[in-house]
Amino acid sequence: MKSAIISFIGTDGAGKSTVITELKRRLEKEHHLNIKTVYFGWKPFLPTTKLLSFILKKRNYQIADKMNSEDSYKNKSKGHKFSLFQEIMLMYYYVEYLSRYLFQLKLPFLFKNQKITLADRYFYDMYAHYRYAEQSFIFPALLKIMPRPDVTFLLDVDIQTAKLRKPEMDLDLLQEHYRRYQQLSKIIGLKIVKTDQELERSVDEILGLIKEKITQTA
C-alpha cells in the first residue's frame, strides 16, 4: 500500500474520532503500517494567525461568530449575497489550511517513514460549518485548488443519532450542517459511509474502499 492521506469529514456526532481510532488499530494490526492521525479542524497555524487570534481573544471578538451570524447569511433573493469581509476571510482560511496541509500532511511523507495519515476533518468542512461559504463567489474555486487527499470519506449518520451522540449540539444547527455536507458531496464527490450501523461494518467498508483506491503491487 502506497503512502496516502485519508480524510474524514461529517457532522458532529458522525463518529469521526471513533472510526479513525478503530481504523488505525486495524491498519496497524492487519497491515503493519505506520499510521499517523492528525486533527485537521480549525486551529491557528501561521504565526500571524496566532497573533491575530490572541489579540481578538483579548478583545472578546470572535470572527467565526461574525461569519456565522444571521446578518452574514441573507436570503439571496433580497440581494444581500456578497460580503467583501467574508470573501477575504475565506481566502485567508484557505492560506491557513494550505500551510497546514504542506507542513502537517505532505512533508512528513518526504522526510519521515510515513505511510498513512488519517485526518480528522479537512478544509472541506468549512463549506458546512460557515454559512457564508455556501453562497461565496470565491469558495468554489478554493475547493477546486485545495490539494485533494487520496480519499475523503463523508461519514453519514441520521440527525437523531448524531443528536444522541452530541446532546450539547443544537438540533437545527445539526440539520443545517447535514444539508450542506450532502450538497458538498455533490460538488466535489465524496465517499459516503453510513456510521449509524455497527462500527465494525463501517470500518470494513472504509477498508475496502481504501484498498480499492490506493492498494498497489509492492
Side-chain angles (χ1 to χ4, degrees):
M1 184 177 288
K2 67 177 183 178
S3 298
I5 297 170
I6 303 167
S7 63
F8 297 82
I9 66 175
T11 62
D12 291 303
K16 293 180 291 295
S17 298
T18 302
V19 166
I20 289 172
T21 298
E22 178 62 14
L23 182 61
K24 180 177 186 294
R25 186 191 71 81
R26 292 272 301 272
L27 286 170
E28 289 176 337
K29 179 180 179 181
E30 298 173 12
H31 299 277
H32 309 290
L33 294 172
N34 182 14
I35 308 296
K36 178 182 179 181
T37 59
V38 176
Y39 175 72
F40 213 70
W42 171 248
K43 183 178 181 181
F45 177 73
L46 295 173
T48 51
T49 309
K50 291 181 179 180
L51 177 60
L52 180 61
S53 296
F54 175 77
I55 294 173
L56 294 178
K57 186 176 181 180
K58 295 286 284 187
R59 297 183 179 183
N60 197 31
Y61 184 89
Q62 298 293 327
I63 289 179
D65 290 344
K66 181 174 177 60
M67 293 183 72
N68 273 319
S69 68
E70 292 295 335
D71 290 340
S72 73
Y73 195 66
K74 300 295 185 181
N75 191 307
K76 296 179 183 180
S77 64
K78 296 180 180 180
H80 297 290
K81 182 179 179 182
F82 181 77
S83 168
L84 181 59
F85 170 80
Q86 303 277 10
E87 300 289 348
I88 291 173
M89 286 309 305
L90 288 172
M91 286 189 285
Y92 190 82
Y93 275 121
Y94 170 79
V95 172
E96 265 283 321
Y97 273 98
L98 180 61
S99 301
R100 289 180 63 195
Y101 171 84
L102 294 174
F103 285 95
Q104 295 181 346
L105 299 183
K106 199 65 177 177
L107 288 182
F109 288 144
L110 302 178
F111 300 106
K112 299 180 182 179
N113 182 27
Q114 187 64 50
K115 269 290 185 181
I116 303 290
T117 296
L118 306 177
D120 183 348
R121 298 192 180 278
Y122 197 62
F123 175 70
Y124 302 147
D125 286 281
M126 291 198 64
Y127 186 87
H129 287 263
Y130 288 90
R131 284 174 168 172
Y132 184 80
E134 184 179 11
Q135 65 189 54
S136 166
F137 284 105
I138 192 67
F139 201 71
L142 299 180
L143 285 174
K144 290 181 180 179
I145 63 177
M146 183 70 187
R148 296 177 69 92
D150 293 278
V151 189
T152 296
F153 290 102
L154 172 59
L155 302 188
D156 187 19
V157 65
D158 69 86
I159 298 299
Q160 295 303 323
T161 300
K163 177 63 175 175
L164 288 173
R165 293 174 178 175
K166 293 285 184 177
E168 69 276 13
M169 287 293 296
D170 179 78
L171 182 60
D172 289 339
L173 186 60
L174 277 173
Q175 291 174 330
E176 187 178 332
H177 288 176
Y178 182 86
R179 177 186 64 79
R180 292 205 291 267
Y181 273 117
Q182 296 300 314
Q183 187 169 326
L184 174 67
S185 178
K186 296 176 182 178
I187 294 172
I188 61 175
L190 300 169
K191 299 287 188 181
I192 300 178
V193 174
K194 299 290 291 184
T195 55
D196 48 5
Q197 58 186 339
E198 292 182 0
L199 176 61
E200 184 177 355
R201 289 186 61 186
S202 297
V203 173
D204 283 343
E205 184 177 348
I206 290 169
L207 280 170
L209 291 168
I210 289 175
K211 291 175 183 178
E212 177 184 320
K213 180 72 177 181
I214 64 177
T215 297
Q216 62 178 17
T217 304

